[in-house]
Every structure is written in C-alpha cells, then in structure tokens.
Amino acid sequence: MIKNQLEEVRKHIEDACRRAGRNPEEVTLIAVSKTKPVPMLMEAYDAGARDFGENKVQEILNKKPELPEDIRWHMIGHLQRNKVHQVIDKAVLIHSVDSLRLAQQIEADAAKLGLDVDILLEVNVAREESKYGFLMEEVEDAIMRIKDFPHVHIKGLMTIAPFVDNPEENRGIFKKLFEFAVDIGGKNIDNVTMSVLSMGMTGDYEVAIEEGATMVRVGTGIFGSR
Ligand SMILES: *Cc1c(COP(=O)(O)O)cnc(C)c1O
C-alpha cells in the first residue's frame, strides 16, 4: 500500500535526520510519480504527500489538471528548450537545469510570461558519460552568468548519483556536492542561494540526508517498481 510505503520512507527520513543531528523539517520528500497513474498519486496525496516529481513535461501537463491544486510539481528530468514555456508556470522548481542554453531559454520564456522561475543546477558529480548536468568545474562559471538573469533564481544544486549496490558508495558524492554548495553559498552572490540540495533517491536517500540533502526524490520506495 502506498500509504504504508510513504510512512516507511518518512520514518527512514526521520531516523537519518536523527543520526545526523538534523531537524526532519529541513528535508522535503518529493514523491517521484513518473509513469504512475493519477489514482496512485491521489493515494499518496491522501496520505499527505504534496510534493510530486515528474521527469517529463507531458506527464505534468496530463496529471496536474486531474489532481488537487495544492500539489507542488517538481520538474526533475532533462528538459528540452522547446518545452520550457509549457512547464515554467506549472512547476514550483526545475531541478534539472543542465546547460547555460537551457537557463537562457527559461529566462526568455519567463520574461515573456512575466514569471519568476526557481531553478537548481544539475551537477554530474560522478562525471558519468551517460548523465546530463554540469561538471563540477563548470558550475561556478554558469552561476556567475545566470545570476544576472532577472527572471531566473538559482536556489541550489541537484545531483543524480550513480546506481550502486551499496549506498555508502555514494556518500563521497553527496559530501562533495554539500561542501561545494557551502563554498558557493559563502560567496553571497546576488540572486543566488544554496538553500536547496536535491540529492538522494530510493537506494541512497538516507545517506544523502546524512550528508546534507534538503530534498530527496523517492519513486520506487513509495510507488513500487516501474
Ligand atoms: C526516477 C527518478 C528518481 C526516483 O528514482 P527511484 O530510484 O525510483 O527512487 C529520482 N530522481 C530522478 C531525476 C529520477 O528521474
């Protein structure tokens, strides 16, 4: 049952926070509902979920009108520039900004629609060929350009860690991104905060929380396998 799975995940989040001496209220659980049908999302909603993550624009467009309006939709998947205008007024946060060109497109469409758009920069910490995202050494330069975009606001960083058998293998990745975020945050750059660290999925969210995640994106652990 989705309700039980959700409660289980929440308990694990609280345990991880306790181990790390953190307040569980600092951690937002995003229920990653990609490929799952509306009734399953409604079940999670009834069990208290309000933050949902999708990796395709079309799925947000299809599901949003069918579900309560107080749901916060998070765009977590690779975003094509020609779809930006469809999603920027529907998602509360775009986690997956992986190029300067995408950020420029968001700025252009946001200006046109008179919107302010909150984003995270996706960082390919593990330098995996198959993954989108900035390499660590590219992030600061991107931030120094995007900070001047009037309609785009950088709220932090996101990473998708490698798929591993033992989540401990990803601890170093999470630690590295946390330290980097602290470093950037300390520079007090105008229009840039590092208040959000979106890291950790079903296999590794507890380790991610121990290392400072403020948003965890859990799909399988709530909705079952895809
Ligand atoms: C699918 C997905 C998740 C959730 O993955 P699970 O392993 O099912 O928890 C998290 N983040 C992103 C970007 C995803 O695409």
Side-chain angles (χ1 to χ4, degrees):
M1 244 179 97
I2 287 171
K3 183 172 189 283
N4 299 335
Q5 305 264 80
L6 198 52
E7 276 165 13
E8 191 72 9
V9 172
R10 288 196 187 111
K11 196 169 77 60
H12 287 308
I13 290 174
E14 282 175 22
D15 290 345
C17 284
R18 199 167 305 117
R19 286 194 297 276
R22 299 184 60 197
N23 181 346
E25 289 180 6
E26 292 171 23
V27 180
T28 301
L29 171 59
I30 299 174
V32 176
S33 46
K34 63 190 188 202
T35 77
K36 300 297 178 183
V38 165
M40 285 180 82
L41 277 70
M42 199 56 214
E43 239 182 286
Y45 180 90
D46 286 335
R50 291 296 179 272
D51 291 89
F52 288 80
E54 292 284 348
N55 69 339
K56 293 206 169 82
V57 169
Q58 196 55 49
E59 271 195 84
I60 296 183
L61 297 181
N62 291 347
K63 290 172 180 175
K64 191 176 185 294
E66 307 284 325
L67 285 152
E69 281 188 13
D70 62 340
I71 287 178
R72 293 177 289 273
W73 296 93
H74 296 255
M75 179 61 196
I76 63 172
H78 177 64
L79 178 57
Q80 287 170 290
R81 284 179 296 140
N82 63 357
K83 300 210 171 129
V84 165
H85 69 104
Q86 296 180 296
V87 79
I88 49 173
D89 62 339
K90 297 179 184 69
V92 290
L93 184 63
I94 299 173
H95 294 230
S96 42
V97 176
D98 53 15
S99 71
L100 190 59
R101 289 197 340 150
L102 176 58
Q104 283 164 336
Q105 187 69 53
I106 296 171
E107 170 57 32
D109 288 342
K112 218 177 285 170
L113 298 170
L115 295 171
D116 283 286
V117 180
D118 289 345
I119 66 163
L120 306 179
L121 299 188
E122 179 172 350
V123 186
N124 182 359
V125 183
R127 316 181 77 85
E128 290 179 283
E129 293 277 351
S130 59
K131 293 245 166 85
Y132 291 106
F134 293 96
L135 296 174
M136 289 282 264
E137 65 270 23
E138 298 169 337
V139 179
E140 192 165 351
D141 184 57
I143 290 173
M144 295 317 282
R145 291 162 185 266
I146 297 168
K147 72 174 173 54
D148 294 326
F149 295 5
H151 303 85
V152 176
H153 312 295
I154 298 177
K155 298 296 175 187
L157 305 173
M158 179 272 233
T159 196
I160 304 173
F163 185 77
V164 290
D165 289 324
N166 179 358
E168 285 299 330
E169 291 175 53
N170 281 336
R171 187 178 292 277
I173 305 260
F174 299 139
K175 203 187 279 280
K176 207 164 155 184
L177 196 64
F178 176 81
E179 283 167 3
F180 184 72
V182 169
D183 198 43
I184 297 283
K187 296 184 198 259
N188 290 311
I189 304 164
D190 251 18
N191 190 30
V192 177
T193 77
M194 286 288 128
S195 51
V196 178
L197 259 192
S198 170
M199 56 186 196
M201 317 191 346
T202 296
D204 55 19
Y205 67 92
E206 292 157 277
V207 174
I209 289 168
E210 288 170 11
E211 298 302 331
T214 70
M215 287 187 179
V216 292
R217 310 177 308 265
V218 179
T220 312
I222 296 170
F223 297 104
S225 57
R226 288 179 294 271

